[in-house]
Amino acid sequence: MAAEIINVSTEEQLQQALDIRKDVFVLEQKVPIDLEIDEYDRLESDAFHVLIKSEGQYAATGRIIYYNKDSAKMQRIAVRKPFRSKGIGRVLMMALEAQARELKLQYSVLDAQVQAEAFYRKLGYETISDEPFDDAGIPHVRMKKEL
């Protein structure tokens, strides 16, 4: 499985990232579009978007925002269905974490869907929330990792 990591820098790349998120979150998981797309979904924002291309197709995306002075917040992590269980999610997380280290951040924080908690735990994340919480109608837990 060869994967190309793309740090989003053009409107076309950003649109590809948004299309993946619409496929995964809006169509598949029924998250309302107005909750999915926000002020960080512009090239001029304080967010860093990453795309993963595999088998000639855009397969996955995620973004980083600043959580606090020493932590990145990993968000909108999405892998299209045909690319799941092929290591693409791990490649995406490694790319996001590398970006966070380049930004001189020490920690990565994310709100994981409960069904994906074990995936993130395998990547070194620890659950730091006491109990699951609702985000867009989906149970989540907050997780953290030292970078």
Side-chain angles (χ1 to χ4, degrees):
M1 180 268 327
E4 178 186 356
I5 297 166
I6 302 164
N7 291 317
V8 171
S9 62
T10 69
E11 288 293 340
E12 188 272 334
Q13 291 169 340
L14 180 61
Q15 189 57 55
Q16 291 293 337
L18 296 177
D19 287 348
I20 292 169
R21 287 171 38 195
K22 287 174 190 172
D23 285 351
V24 173
F25 297 124
V26 178
L27 297 176
E28 194 178 319
Q29 297 183 348
K30 309 299 184 217
V31 172
I33 188 79
D34 60 318
L35 293 180
E36 178 54 32
I37 307 301
D38 63 21
E39 69 273 14
Y40 293 108
D41 294 322
R42 300 183 335 254
L43 290 178
E44 314 82 42
S45 72
D46 274 341
F48 301 87
H49 296 262
V50 172
L51 267 172
I52 304 295
K53 198 171 191 179
S54 180
E55 301 170 16
Q57 299 177 57
Y58 292 105
T61 190
R63 76 178 185 197
I64 299 171
I65 64 169
Y66 291 99
Y67 183 65
N68 58 33
K69 65 179 174 54
D70 65 357
S71 299
K73 179 97 183 266
M74 308 298 178
Q75 296 184 314
R76 307 307 203 267
I77 296 161
V79 178
R80 282 189 164 131
K81 200 176 266 187
F83 297 95
R84 293 182 194 154
S85 301
K86 295 183 178 184
I88 297 289
R90 185 178 57 77
V91 170
L92 173 61
M93 290 306 297
M94 290 171 57
L96 290 168
E97 290 169 4
Q99 178 70 54
R101 282 191 287 277
E102 283 183 31
L103 295 169
K104 306 286 189 244
L105 299 169
Q106 295 175 294
Y107 300 96
S108 171
V109 175
L110 57 83
D111 293 341
Q113 293 183 8
V114 169
Q115 52 89 13
E117 186 176 5
F119 166 76
Y120 293 111
R121 193 173 295 118
K122 286 180 194 170
L123 297 177
Y125 285 81
E126 294 179 27
T127 303
I128 58 172
S129 54
D130 292 331
E131 57 188 56
F133 56 91
D134 179 84
D135 186 1
I138 301 168
H140 284 70
V141 292
R142 178 146 301 158
M143 302 184 84
K144 185 175 183 177
K145 175 182 178 177
E146 187 170 351
L147 295 172

